Amino acid sequence: QVQLVESGGGLVQPGGSLTLSCAASGSRLRINDMGWYHEAPGKQRELVALITRGGWTNYGDSVKGRFTVSRDNAKDTVYLQMNSLNAEDTAVYYCYVEDSSRRAYWGRGTQVTVSS
């Protein structure tokens, strides 16, 4: 069974920074896309950032210029560096992984709260 272990969530003040990580394990196939989605209270889940195995990235409009997604293919781990955080970033952040057969996996989610 594929497992995704997320870490790095928590409480941060407006303007602060936070780094999330997600490590995938147990996949019998190579992992292609990795990334993050978030779900704020009363809102639907939406894209934060995705990164392909080759390093191409795609960001949601609300985080462009503030967040950076990266990955370590040898460790099957994806990271999200979050800068200049504001209250609108408060949400549950879910790790997303897609293997070479296009099967998708989701993490349990980690809470990020931006508040003074």
Side-chain angles (χ1 to χ4, degrees), residues 40-58:
K43 304 291 184 181
Q44 68 181 66
R45 190 174 300 187
E46 65 179 10
L47 172 71
V48 176
L50 289 176
I51 182 167
T52 70
R53 190 170 185 84
W56 290 92
T57 58
N58 185 29

Side-chain angles (χ1 to χ4, degrees), residues 7-9 17-21 79-83:
S7 63
S17 297
L18 207 60
T19 301
L20 306 182
S21 65
Y79 306 91
L80 184 68
Q81 177 65 50
M82 309 165 70
N83 300 134

Side-chain angles (χ1 to χ4, degrees), residues 14-90:
S17 297
L18 207 60
T19 301
L20 306 182
S21 65
C22 173
S25 63
S27 178
R28 302 185 70 181
L29 301 174
R30 72 178 182 275
I31 292 172
N32 290 336
D33 294 351
M34 304 185 78
W36 300 88
Y37 288 72
H38 69 188
E39 189 172 322
K43 304 291 184 181
Q44 68 181 66
R45 190 174 300 187
E46 65 179 10
L47 172 71
V48 176
L50 289 176
I51 182 167
T52 70
R53 190 170 185 84
W56 290 92
T57 58
N58 185 29
Y59 293 94
D61 289 341
S62 67
V63 309
K64 288 180 180 178
R66 298 188 298 123
F67 292 7
T68 302
V69 64
S70 61
R71 65 188 288 170
D72 184 334
N73 290 337
K75 297 179 179 179
D76 282 337
T77 299
V78 62
Y79 306 91
L80 184 68
Q81 177 65 50
M82 309 165 70
N83 300 134
S84 301
L85 287 161
N86 56 58
E88 289 68 47
D89 297 315
T90 295

